[in-house]
Every structure is written in C-alpha cells, then in structure tokens.
Amino acid sequence: MIKGKKILLGVTGSIAAYKAVLVVRLLIKAGAEVKIIMTKGANDFVTPLTFSTLSKNKVSVDLFEEGTWANHVELGRWADVFLIAPATANTLAKMAHGICDNLLQATYLSAACPIIIAPAMDEEMWHHQATQQNIDCLRDRSHQIIPVNNGELASGIFGEGRMAEPEDIVQYLHFFFENKNTLTGKNVLITAGPTYENIDPVRFIGNHSTGKMGIAIAEEMWARGAEVTLVLGPSQEKVNAKINTIRITSAEEMYQTCMNHFDQNDYIIMAAAVADYTPATKEKQKIKKSEDSMHLDLVKTKDILMEAGRKKTPQQILVGFALETENENQFAKEKMKKKNTDFMVLNSLNDSGAGFGHATNKITIFEKDGQVHEFPLKSKKEVAVDIINLITSNENI
Ligand code: CTP
C-alpha cells in the first residue's frame, strides 16, 4: 500500500532523528518516493547526506538555498502525506501557532495533504500543559498523532515521550493508506462516555467512564471517510472538531438522540457506560441533610442497545460493549444474545491497564456466529483499529 506513494518527511532537532534514517530506509524498501526537509536543529544530529543518499533525492533545509528560493508550496502539493518524525516540542508549538521561521514550517502551512506527526521529547516536556494543548490543537486540525512510547529517554530517565519505533511508524503509514476512504459513504452512530442522572440541582449519579474508547473509534471511523455521529456523555476529552458530536447528559437524552439518528446509520457502536438506574424524581431544590440515612428511589433507564437490537435491519451492524468484573466471557455472550448485537466487545476490569480512564485497553470480541477474537493490551487508538477492521470485514453491508 505504501508502494508508489509520495512521502514528504520532516525531520526536526531531536536525538530521535537517527531513527528517521531507518524510517526512510523502510519506506524506500516498501516502494515509496521520499523527499526530506530538515530543520537546522536536525542537522546537529544527522547529516543531510545520509538522507539524500538513502532517498536519492536532494534534502531541503533552508527557505533560501544558494541564492534561490526553495519552493515549499510545490513540496506540500507533491506529497500524498507529510510525515513529521521526530517532531520536537518546539516544532509542535510552532505548528500549533502558525509560526513560519523555517522551510519545514512554511511547507506545513502550505501543505494540502494529510499530516501525520510522531512526537519525540522527554517525559516532562511531553506532559507539560503547553505541549498537550498544542497536541490537542493539532488533533483538532485533523492531523494524526502517532502515540509516543514508554521507554528510556535521552535524559536516561524512563518514561513517556519516546518516538514510536521506525517499523511502527511505517506500519502506521501502511494502515493510513490502506484504510483511507474505505468507509466513504457509510454512516456511523457511536455512543461514548458516561451519563449523569440528576438527583437534585447539585448532585448526580455517574460513573468513571471518560469516553476515550468511543472517541477513538469515532476518530478512526472518520479518518476512513465515514460520516460519524458521536453521542457523547459528559466527558473532558477533546474530540476532532470535524466529527458531528452531540453532547448529552442523561441516559434518557442519549436514548432519544440515538433513536432520532438510528435509521440512517450503517454501523451503530454503543461504547457508552449508560446508567442503568436514574432517580425516580429529580428534586428541584438541593436536598438538605437531615436523617442519619436516606433512601433514593431509582427506576430503570431505557436500554438503548436493547432497543437498537430490536429495531435493527439485517443491513445494519450493531456493536455493543460489555464491562465485566467476573464470569466475563459468559456474561458478554449472554448480553450479545439478549441485546441482538452482531459483535460484543468485552473489557474486563480484572485486566490491568484496561477499562475506565486508561490510555490502553485489552479486549475480546465475540461474534454472533460464535467466533472469539482475543487481543493483547494496546493503546485505545490501536484497539479502535482492531474493532473497526473486524466489524467492517463483514460483507453483508
Ligand atoms: N447500554 C445501553 N443502555 C443502557 C445500558 C447499557 O445502551 N441503559 C449498553 C452499553 O452502551 C453497552 C452495553 O449496553 O454497549 C452493555 O452495557 P453494560 O453496562 O455492560 O450491561 P448492562 O446491560 O447494563 O448489564 P449489567 O450492568 O447488569 O452488566
């Protein structure tokens, strides 16, 4: 899939620049055409000669070279994708703020192609609010961020911030080209996050769901060309601004919104942690403290997935999630049958690194026909890819 693709690689001033050499080698081996832009900082780590020898193309560094102007517009138009690897904290900041003080930045600002970024820096820099805000900003522009690794950093400290390995970056590009536009024309409805059930004006019943998993699925579906409607409960997570996100609070609001959008969707993926019960009455005024104990009268919420299972046509693919703490496989299979889903994605809270709040997840997917697919612990983005690859491989739709 990489064969014949035109890849523009931006290399910035990080020790990880040496890994970019291997990225070029692997891309060339896979049949890509590669052109490289380096920042002056990158020159301190690797020489342009290394890159030009491997890519068989001239490497550009300056906006003005030997008295002539380097045509950054042309480079941006030439590329099928602009990969920036490694991207330092400094480059991320400049990209986020539109600063144009070198050839790489000028090319970024004029590029018409998709942008993929592989950040690299020390852990503190990676976790700094400024860097994270810049990353959010770049994500909002629909740029793809290749997750950083956990491992030994240039400082000698172990932590997050290491650039993804060259093989993984090339694999990422491979998936990018393979999956691009494969879901064009498809409509997808996704639920994510918790729901909050009001008790009175200041209190609610909720759960620890962050919405990360459902958002990752929504973003991956969107990246593959689908028209995505995300029905999102109260969540602090950022969502790509190009996704049609409908923010709701309660289970009832999520139910109504899903039912209003149900018919026009090809895939319905219910990743939300919906409250099963809601207070029978929502007090208008704050409940005052009085007795030593109190009782809340709760009533069942509508089961959105169950209703979706009743309504769905044979052409619609319905995916449910099951979060379990015991008898996981049995409960997940029973849920799939009861709610008439085509797939059931099981998370077990017994697996470390899986479930609410983690950046990672470990899932097992059950299919209606009895097949079971187990996956190792992965980032939620990679888990989203696994789920989507499986549910879209069904040929009925
Ligand atoms: N679900 C839903 N509406 C509800 C409750 C759950 O759509 N009112 C969906 C969830 O989005 C998920 C699936 O049902 O896809 C399973 O949710 P889960 O809470 O694991 O199961 P429940 O059916 O609520 O059963 P229990 O809580 O007893 O395990």
Side-chain angles (χ1 to χ4, degrees), residues 89-363:
N90 188 39
T91 289
L92 293 176
K94 287 192 204 172
M95 289 169 78
H97 295 278
I99 292 170
C100 185
D101 64 350
N102 62 28
L103 180 63
L104 191 145
Q105 293 302 133
T107 308
Y108 166 65
L109 289 173
S110 48
C113 60
I115 312 281
I116 299 181
I117 303 165
M121 65 202 75
D122 262 303
E123 185 167 37
E124 283 76 10
M125 293 168 83
W126 173 246
H127 285 298
H128 197 283
Q129 210 181 351
T131 305
Q132 287 305 311
Q133 280 171 354
N134 291 332
I135 288 280
D136 285 344
C137 165
L138 296 170
R139 244 192 217 120
D140 279 351
R141 284 182 208 154
S142 309
H143 302 343
Q144 300 198 25
I145 314 287
I146 304 182
V148 294
N149 280 345
N150 213 318
E152 190 176 1
L153 301 164
S155 57
I157 295 169
F158 280 79
E160 270 189 1
R162 230 176 114 89
M163 188 175 84
E165 293 306 318
E167 292 77 8
D168 295 335
I169 293 176
V170 173
Q171 180 75 337
Y172 192 99
L173 284 174
H174 175 75
F175 279 130
F176 170 79
F177 287 119
E178 191 174 76
N179 295 322
K180 210 170 142 231
N181 301 333
T182 48
L183 292 178
T184 302
K186 298 289 182 209
N187 293 302
V188 187
L189 178 67
I190 300 172
T191 67
T195 64
Y196 286 178
E197 308 303 318
N198 283 347
I199 298 169
D200 67 15
V202 292
R203 304 174 179 104
F204 61 84
I205 299 173
N207 59 64
H208 295 298
S209 168
T210 56
K212 277 192 179 119
M213 192 62 248
I215 293 170
I217 296 171
E219 293 191 336
E220 181 61 26
M221 282 285 201
W222 177 84
R224 296 184 187 196
E227 200 63 51
V228 179
T229 303
L230 174 66
V231 185
L232 181 62
S235 165
Q236 303 300 319
E237 298 296 314
K238 283 260 183 181
V239 185
N240 180 328
K242 300 233 170 87
I243 291 175
N244 174 29
T245 304
I246 304 172
R247 292 189 183 262
I248 55 83
T249 305
S250 66
E252 180 61 25
E253 286 168 2
M254 187 174 268
Y255 175 85
Q256 294 301 342
T257 313
C258 287
M259 291 306 130
N260 289 342
H261 287 81
F262 188 82
D263 293 342
Q264 61 265 37
N265 284 284
D266 303 291
Y267 295 94
I268 298 114
I269 303 169
M270 303 220 149
V274 189
D276 289 331
Y277 291 90
T278 189
T281 50
K282 278 96 180 139
E283 296 300 332
K284 294 238 158 18
Q285 306 300 334
K286 185 182 168 199
I287 301 170
K288 300 304 281 180
K289 184 163 59 186
S290 54
E291 307 302 318
D292 285 347
S293 65
M294 75 172 285
H295 297 278
L296 268 180
D297 195 9
L298 302 176
V299 290
K300 241 190 195 156
T301 55
K302 290 176 189 138
D303 193 317
I304 310 165
L305 185 60
M306 184 96 97
E307 188 53 27
R310 267 188 221 118
K311 269 175 84 110
K312 89 178 202 71
T313 64
Q315 284 72 40
Q316 288 178 306
I317 298 286
L318 182 62
V319 184
F321 275 68
L323 180 69
E324 306 293 348
T325 54
E326 56 173 349
N327 296 336
E328 294 92 338
N329 290 11
Q330 186 200 332
F331 284 155
K333 280 195 249 170
E334 282 171 12
K335 258 177 211 173
M336 177 161 65
K337 211 159 163 217
K338 195 167 95 191
K339 302 197 185 192
N340 188 30
T341 66
D342 298 287
F343 297 89
M344 187 57 79
V345 182
L346 167 70
N347 299 284
S348 168
L349 276 193
N350 293 325
D351 291 321
S352 61
F356 292 154
H358 293 285
T360 50
N361 204 0
K362 184 171 181 303
I363 57 159

